[in-house]
Amino acid sequence: MNNYLEKFEKMRVAGNLAARTLDMLTENIKPGITTDYVDKLGYEFIRDHGGYSAPLYYRGFKKSLCTSLNHVVCHGIPSDGVLSEGDTINVDVTAVVDEHYGDTSRMFCLGETSVKVNNLIDATYESMMKSIKILKPGLKLGDIGYEIQSFIEKKGFSVVRDFCGHGISTTFHEPPNVLHYGRKDSGMELKPGMTFTIEPMINAGKWDIKMLNDGWTAVTKDKSLSAQFEHTLGITENGYEIFTESVKGYAKPPYL
């Protein structure tokens, strides 16, 4: 019991730093800047607040954040490409403090975006939150996936199958895998002390993806837009705790 409480305390610190990093970026992401600049801001903020960026050099990844633009599903690599009016971007931040990890991502809209784009982003956020709100000991992992998939497909969108949420604590990625699709009452049972991410990737078109030659960037096969949100959380005796909630109350676009 003491180990679980101590783990949660450390994950609150790491999750809070990751969330504050996204809060800072929320006020800086705008047309005309590069994703390399976003990466630099994130790296420096995490470093200056007592942590380090988990993606940097992870399996050869050479940046501190993932920046996934428009039809990029996940793991977009920051570059000198300039953000433009009408773009959407997911920024994925993982901060490590005292050997514990906090992993979170948010969507950002640059200027005016279409109703369809806004609906996709809203549905993605809502699917994540609907799956989080049912969490408690005794629930099965399949219930999380079912909650997301059933909600998203009613909206006319699709759930990416190739990536999933994951256990996280003193290791970036650990068991269990948390699928964002599935059947009710299937899979592992949730128990107090478990910590993992929920991070649905939702496509406006079909769920199929393809990998680019860089070995990291996943894009929609049909070039439709994609959206993602992510929280790190833990299972408590009676429910759940989100470790990566925005300090400034930023949930989904529009933020400001």
Side-chain angles (χ1 to χ4, degrees):
M1 180 64 151
N2 287 336
N3 286 342
Y4 136 45
L5 294 178
E6 183 181 345
K7 177 172 81 164
F8 272 34
E9 183 56 43
K10 290 184 175 183
M11 292 194 70
R12 280 184 203 112
V13 175
N16 176 265
L17 179 53
R20 285 189 291 131
T21 304
L22 283 178
D23 284 352
M24 176 275 295
L25 291 173
T26 300
E27 293 156 18
N28 285 278
I29 290 177
K30 54 193 173 187
I33 67 169
T34 66
T35 50
D36 261 341
Y37 180 64
V38 174
D39 184 70
K40 177 177 180 287
L41 288 177
Y43 168 78
E44 291 176 349
F45 187 89
I46 292 170
R47 178 200 63 194
D48 293 348
H49 290 82
Y52 68 89
S53 297
L56 187 59
Y57 306 126
Y58 178 76
R59 296 182 179 173
F61 195 79
K62 294 180 180 177
K63 299 291 180 174
S64 297
L65 314 176
C66 294
T67 51
S68 300
L69 196 62
N70 298 324
H71 71 292
V72 176
V73 174
C74 62
H75 304 154
I77 303 172
S79 71
D80 58 4
V82 176
L83 296 176
S84 301
E85 187 87 13
D87 280 340
T88 61
I89 185 172
N90 175 275
V91 180
D92 193 336
V93 172
T94 307
V96 189
V97 183
D98 195 13
E99 299 182 348
H100 286 69
Y101 290 71
D103 189 1
T104 184
S105 80
R106 283 181 218 157
M107 293 298 298
F108 299 89
C109 297
L110 288 93
E112 291 295 315
T113 47
S114 71
V115 170
K116 185 172 184 179
V117 169
N118 296 339
N119 288 344
L120 173 66
I121 290 172
D122 287 349
T124 304
Y125 177 79
E126 190 63 28
S127 75
M128 176 184 69
M129 293 310 300
K130 284 174 75 69
S131 72
I132 290 173
K133 287 172 182 175
I134 64 171
L135 296 177
K136 61 183 179 182
L139 197 80
K140 301 287 184 65
L141 282 176
D143 295 316
I144 296 171
Y146 175 83
E147 197 72 25
I148 293 168
Q149 182 181 12
S150 58
F151 176 78
I152 284 300
E153 291 180 353
K154 283 175 188 169
K155 296 284 186 181
F157 302 126
S158 63
V159 180
V160 171
R161 307 291 204 271
D162 301 75
F163 301 98
C164 59
H166 52 89
I168 185 170
S169 59
T170 55
T171 306
F172 197 171
H173 297 97
E174 59 191 32
N177 289 336
V178 182
L179 304 182
H180 303 118
Y181 62 96
R183 292 180 293 106
K184 273 187 173 182
D185 200 33
S186 67
M188 181 185 289
E189 183 176 305
L190 303 187
K191 295 179 180 177
M194 289 177 69
T195 48
F196 52 87
T197 70
I198 297 179
E199 47 182 299
M201 284 150 263
I202 307 301
N203 295 346
K206 295 180 179 178
W207 61 262
D208 308 71
I209 65 110
K210 68 175 182 178
M211 298 298 299
L212 298 189
N213 291 335
D214 60 32
W216 284 100
T217 308
V219 300
T220 56
K221 203 166 186 179
D222 60 8
K223 298 185 180 177
S224 64
L225 290 172
S226 190
Q228 182 189 18
F229 287 88
E230 176 181 15
H231 273 314
T232 297
L233 44 91
I235 302 300
T236 65
E237 300 299 320
N238 303 309
Y240 64 89
E241 178 179 349
I242 301 173
F243 301 125
T244 48
E245 282 191 297
S246 167
V247 176
K248 296 193 173 182
Y250 300 148
K252 61 183 178 67
Y255 297 111
L256 301 177

